[in-house]
Amino acid sequence: MDGKGGEKGATMSWVKNLLKLAGAYFGYALCVSTLFHALPKAVSEGSQEALGKELSDFIDKQGEKKEKIVLVEDMVQAFNLRIHLLRRAQSTIDVVCHAVQQGKSTDAFMGELIKAADRGVSVRILLDGKAGAMSREAKDMLSALNGHENISYARYNPIRFGRPWEWHTLLHDKFILVDESYLLLGGRNLGDRFFRPAGYEGKLVDDWEAL
């Protein structure tokens, strides 16, 4: 009996220590993640009015080299860059995105897509068939875009109740390809929380992209 009791006690002690270790880890992870999101985000001076010298030089000097790459960190610059690329598009714009959320930045982005299509640019949009196009706002907005002769819109793997084995497959890519020359690739979806437009006071989601 003493042997069994001692073995049981050792097992319980091991389990308690494991639970303490797990609790300490999750407490540490919670504190660090909360602190990270509470820190102020760095924003470049004047970034709401201009792309910034690095991005401007990158675009202006694109013809000097076959391939180049630059990191896009600031969320306001990231939005300005999108608008700049859409306005300079001459032949094609391809937009692949996981999700679209209603807001000022999304309205402005979609407006530039329509302007590009009006001047003859071929615009193609691909969204995830679940998160990307499930809201009524997204459906109405994309239906209006899809009515333009130079804009086509498709959903990747929408829900089909007869094929439940496909439900878990999502399109999580996020990129914009302009004239098959400029590729903006990263983690930002379309929505105000990714670009912090003037007057926006909601939660922010910071990310990096490569142009």
Side-chain angles (χ1 to χ4, degrees):
M1 293 294 293
D2 291 340
K4 291 183 179 180
E7 182 178 345
K8 183 177 180 180
T11 301
M12 291 299 296
S13 177
W14 181 83
V15 171
K16 287 180 180 179
N17 289 335
L18 183 62
L19 290 175
K20 288 180 180 179
L21 182 62
Y25 170 78
F26 285 113
Y28 164 77
L30 179 62
C31 291
V32 172
S33 62
T34 302
L35 176 62
F36 174 80
H37 285 291
L39 292 176
K41 305 298 182 182
V43 179
S44 302
E45 292 295 329
S47 59
Q48 294 200 32
E49 292 77 31
L51 289 177
K53 187 175 187 304
E54 184 180 22
L55 290 176
S56 296
D57 287 348
F58 175 92
I59 294 174
D60 293 341
K61 298 178 181 178
Q62 179 65 16
E64 296 180 4
K65 294 182 179 179
K66 183 64 176 177
E67 295 180 359
K68 295 189 296 184
I69 186 170
V70 65
L71 186 65
V72 183
E73 300 179 77
D74 179 71
M75 58 179 60
V76 177
Q77 284 185 328
F79 179 74
N80 290 340
L81 176 60
R82 281 164 166 76
I83 299 303
H84 187 79
L85 291 176
L86 296 184
R87 288 178 177 176
R88 69 179 291 136
Q90 298 179 4
S91 57
T92 60
I93 297 174
D94 292 298
V95 179
V96 176
C97 194
H98 175 65
V100 174
Q101 299 152 6
Q102 193 174 37
K104 292 181 179 179
S105 58
T106 302
D107 291 344
F109 182 86
M110 295 299 180
E112 292 298 333
L113 288 181
I114 293 176
K115 291 178 182 178
D118 285 343
R119 63 176 186 266
V121 177
S122 176
V123 178
R124 297 187 299 178
I125 304 171
L126 177 63
L127 295 180
D128 177 63
K130 303 176 184 66
M134 289 295 288
S135 69
R136 171 54 56 187
E137 294 86 354
K139 289 179 180 178
D140 292 344
M141 182 167 34
L142 292 167
S143 295
L145 288 177
N146 207 31
H148 198 291
E149 61 178 356
N150 289 327
I151 300 178
S152 60
Y153 158 60
R155 295 183 297 160
Y156 173 81
N157 194 30
I159 293 178
R160 298 180 177 89
F161 290 104
R163 305 174 69 88
W165 56 89
E166 294 180 350
W167 291 359
H168 70 286
T169 307
L170 301 175
L171 172 69
H172 217 271
D173 297 337
K174 307 167 190 72
F175 68 82
I176 300 172
L177 179 63
V178 175
D179 293 339
E180 298 187 0
S181 297
Y182 291 96
L183 174 66
L184 182 62
L185 175 67
R188 292 184 175 98
N189 286 298
L190 290 176
D192 287 351
R193 61 178 180 165
F194 297 97
F195 305 110
R196 199 189 58 198
Y200 178 74
E201 298 181 352
K203 292 183 178 180
L204 297 175
V205 178
D206 212 355
D207 217 313
W208 284 6
E209 293 171 302
L211 173 64

